[in-house]
Amino acid sequence: MSEAAVKQPYPTPTRRTALYDLHVSLGGKMVPFAGYEMPVQYPAGIMQEHLHTRKAAGLFDVSHMGQVFLQGESNIREQCEMIVPGDVRDLVPGAMRYSFLLDEHGGILDDLMITRPVEGADNTLFLVVNAGCKEHDLIHIKNHLPGVETTMLDDRSLLALQGPYAASVLARFCDAPAKLKFMRAGKFEVKEAGTCYISRSGYTGEDGFEISVPSDAAEQFARRLLEQPEVMPVGLGARDSLRLEAGLCLYGHDLDTNTSPVDADLMWAVAKRRRSEGGFIGAAHVQGQLASGATRKRVGIKPAGKAIAREQTEIFDQRQGRIGVVTSGGFGPSVNGPICMGYVQTAFAKPGTEVFLKVRGNDLPARVVALPFVQHRYFRGT
């Protein structure tokens, strides 16, 4: 799922995760992010952290994100379908979905992961939401699902172990890699960490795991993972370049309340049944867009040359008409060049379309390309 945005709905005091001392001891450069002090990079640097994750395994602290249990008397999955457009009703135990909280106009309030736990499967759901949105998310959920109990797990940390060696590393501590394929989750006993909720998911495009661990065991477990020769600590900088190469959205940048799932080209996350039945907040707008077509669409763009097109860079057509704006941009270490995502008028969204980016007053030639920039390598089973 996408990372929380720096753009927060209201100011939040800076907080620290249970791994703050570990980050400092590793030489992490700490910056304020989504209300927390988080490492943007370690001494190896963003480029090395990025490339190491693609070829081995990177360890990320994502404890700032919100971990929430929803519990109801019955039919919790059907109730949840009121607030998200995804297919939650038909989730089998241990399965998870990427979805959104929408407002009445179809705008995205947040994107999130929804898991049906194996235990308590009939009346419980587990959510992971973005850090900068989590307080508002809880208010939104309580307002629309008054009979549902919400519990924020403030006593748990969240680690992400990502990369082609993530499974072999984690197998030294538990049997989750042997039991899970992509977008599956379960509860496991982990050596030196105790009971953990583990999902085979992540935000880099690589095979990997997100591990919800008791906060009092988080540092010890993280240190044990970092002792493994394949694992390197990775900060927010490389996390952002990895997700951009994977074509994944960043909330507050690529997604916000002015953007619908149709605009964002994320209708794969809205099941066919939900498109036709509706019954979720914002459904009328989403269904209307599906019927008439969206006026803009999220696309990948590759600039020519080496100049970087950052967020808010304007996009023009061949006649110098403004057709859109970049929402995420940077250097892709695995691509070995500049890449960006943005929204353009639908008529210009076809891969191969030539466009111009206004960078420091100059017209930079660029081309619309299919996403992702780097092929996903999720483990979908053998």
Side-chain angles (χ1 to χ4, degrees):
M1 68 175 293
S2 73
E3 181 63 80
V6 176
K7 298 176 182 176
Q8 298 177 54
Y10 46 81
T12 304
T14 299
R15 290 177 280 186
R16 295 175 175 177
T17 72
L19 298 183
Y20 176 83
D21 290 342
L22 174 61
H23 298 316
V24 173
S25 72
L26 294 172
K29 180 181 178 181
M30 307 304 289
V31 299
F33 182 80
Y36 287 79
E37 292 181 76
M38 300 296 291
V40 67
Q41 67 177 84
Y42 297 91
I46 292 173
M47 178 78 76
Q48 183 59 28
E49 293 169 25
H50 178 113
L51 295 173
H52 186 88
T53 302
R54 290 271 184 247
K55 71 179 182 182
L59 181 65
F60 306 74
D61 178 12
V62 289
S63 305
H64 54 306
M65 302 186 79
Q67 303 178 64
V68 184
F69 270 120
L70 299 188
Q71 292 179 298
E73 291 293 329
S74 62
N75 297 323
I76 183 69
R77 296 189 306 283
E78 291 192 7
Q79 292 180 67
C80 189
E81 287 200 346
M82 179 188 297
I83 58 170
V84 301
D87 180 357
V88 183
R89 186 191 70 185
D90 296 329
L91 275 175
V92 299
M96 55 196 303
R97 291 272 192 279
Y98 172 74
S99 195
F100 324 94
L101 297 175
L102 301 179
D103 64 19
E104 291 78 5
H105 307 291
I108 299 174
L109 297 168
D110 197 5
D111 61 340
L112 72 164
M113 286 289 194
I114 304 172
T115 301
R116 179 182 179 184
V118 175
E119 304 80 11
D122 290 335
N123 64 353
T124 304
L125 291 171
F126 179 61
L127 313 182
V128 176
V129 302
N130 282 308
C133 305
K134 58 188 180 183
E135 282 84 8
H136 269 193
D137 288 350
L138 281 189
I139 293 170
H140 179 81
I141 293 169
K142 290 176 179 177
N143 285 342
H144 291 91
L145 301 177
V148 171
E149 180 180 347
T150 60
T151 305
M152 184 78 76
L153 304 185
D154 294 323
D155 60 345
R156 300 191 76 85
S157 297
L158 192 63
L159 307 180
L161 184 64
Q162 299 282 296
Y165 284 85
S168 58
V169 168
L170 188 60
R172 298 166 196 160
F173 298 89
C174 68
D175 61 354
K179 300 284 183 66
L180 301 176
K181 59 183 179 180
F182 182 56
M183 295 298 277
R184 290 290 186 273
K187 187 162 69 173
F188 296 88
E189 291 302 316
V190 179
K191 292 177 185 176
E192 304 182 49
T195 302
C196 295
Y197 306 111
I198 301 178
S199 64
R200 198 158 195 164
S201 62
Y203 193 46
T204 62
E206 299 292 332
D207 182 26
F209 302 85
E210 293 202 341
I211 309 162
S212 174
V213 55
S215 288
D216 57 5
E219 181 174 342
Q220 174 180 303
F221 183 50
R223 288 185 182 278
R224 289 287 291 124
L225 289 171
L226 291 170
E227 289 173 2
Q228 310 307 305
E230 302 93 337
V231 182
M232 170 181 278
V234 180
L236 293 172
R239 181 171 163 82
D240 191 54
S241 58
L242 287 159
R243 72 91 194 165
L244 178 56
E245 283 187 342
L248 302 175
C249 294
L250 180 67
Y251 191 80
H253 299 259
D254 308 299
L255 305 176
D256 58 26
T257 53
N258 294 315
T259 306
S260 77
V262 184
D263 301 325
D265 198 26
L266 293 171
M267 285 306 293
W268 55 265
V270 182
K272 184 177 179 181
R273 174 178 64 84
R274 302 303 317 277
R275 299 182 195 184
S276 59
E277 291 180 359
F280 55 89
I281 297 169
H285 181 86
V286 171
Q287 291 172 319
Q289 274 194 312
L290 285 173
S292 61
T295 59
R296 63 185 189 129
K297 182 180 177 182
R298 179 176 62 94
V299 297
I301 299 173
K302 286 193 73 172
K306 297 183 178 179
I308 302 294
R310 301 290 183 187
E311 182 181 2
Q312 296 302 316
T313 297
E314 294 182 301
I315 307 170
F316 293 86
D317 66 8
Q318 300 284 330
R319 297 182 177 180
Q320 291 299 299
R322 186 183 185 280
I323 58 170
V325 64
V326 170
T327 49
S328 288
F331 182 80
S334 305
V335 176
N336 193 29
I339 53 176
C340 56
M341 291 196 302
Y343 285 82
V344 297
Q345 296 172 19
T346 303
F348 298 92
K350 185 177 179 181
T353 301
E354 303 291 336
V355 298
F356 291 99
L357 305 171
K358 187 70 76 177
V359 178
R360 293 188 292 275
N362 299 314
D363 292 330
L364 176 66
R367 178 167 47 89
V368 174
V369 298
L371 293 171
F373 296 100
V374 172
Q375 197 65 36
H376 295 164
R377 298 195 291 184
Y378 303 131
F379 178 74
R380 300 182 186 277
T382 57

